[in-house]
Amino acid sequence: MKDREGTDLDRRGFLRFLAGGFLALWAPAAGFVAASFLNASGTKHRPGERRLQCGTFSTLAVGEARLVRHGAEPIFVVRLAASKVMAVSAICTHVRCVLRWNRDNGTFLCPCHDGAFDKTGNVLSGPPKRPLRQYPAEVRADEIIVHT
Ligand code: FES
């Protein structure tokens, strides 16, 4: 009986040791995987921030812009260079008319009072005093993602 109890205790101790070792290795790995999943893009997200899918990057030529509908505030995504994209509001900062893209000279034009903005949203001419609102944009797996 004593031998049997001794054997049981040894077996129990060994199993506890194995379980403890497994948990010691598993817990940090599970924490790392969970943290990676929650922050998959590596981008810090503000509370309430939304990700807007804005179409494929490869179909937007360098120097071109694409209008993306987004509720009351449509957005233009602009491909500035081979690997650089940015996003600006498509709403004029004067009295909120929706802008048009002028591909001939790469500017945004306002049909209401002839305001004009460059492709990064800076005022070029007309009554607007403020530049266009910019949004963080990135490319993930050939999809343009804008953070609104
Ligand atoms: S609303 Fe755009 S210039 Fe006036």
Side-chain angles (χ1 to χ4, degrees), residues 92 94-97 110 112-115 127-128:
C92 182
H94 181 221
V95 283
R96 300 191 57 79
C97 289
C110 182
C112 295
H113 311 104
D114 295 328

Side-chain angles (χ1 to χ4, degrees), residues 21-106:
F22 174 76
L23 287 175
L25 293 174
W26 179 83
F32 176 77
V33 169
S36 298
F37 177 77
L38 293 174
N39 193 18
S41 68
T43 304
K44 302 242 184 238
H45 300 287
R46 299 180 309 265
E49 178 182 273
R50 293 179 48 206
R51 295 179 187 181
L52 182 64
Q53 293 186 320
C54 298
T56 55
F57 180 67
S58 58
T59 58
L60 184 62
V62 173
E64 276 297 318
R66 176 186 297 148
L67 181 65
V68 179
R69 306 218 178 277
H70 179 244
E73 181 123 2
I75 290 171
F76 276 108
V77 289
V78 185
R79 187 168 179 176
L80 298 173
S83 61
K84 186 171 183 183
V85 67
M86 72 173 302
V88 294
S89 171
I91 301 296
C92 182
T93 56
H94 181 221
V95 283
R96 300 191 57 79
C97 289
V98 177
L99 300 169
R100 295 185 181 139
W101 172 245
N102 181 355
R103 73 168 27 140
D104 293 338
N105 59 8

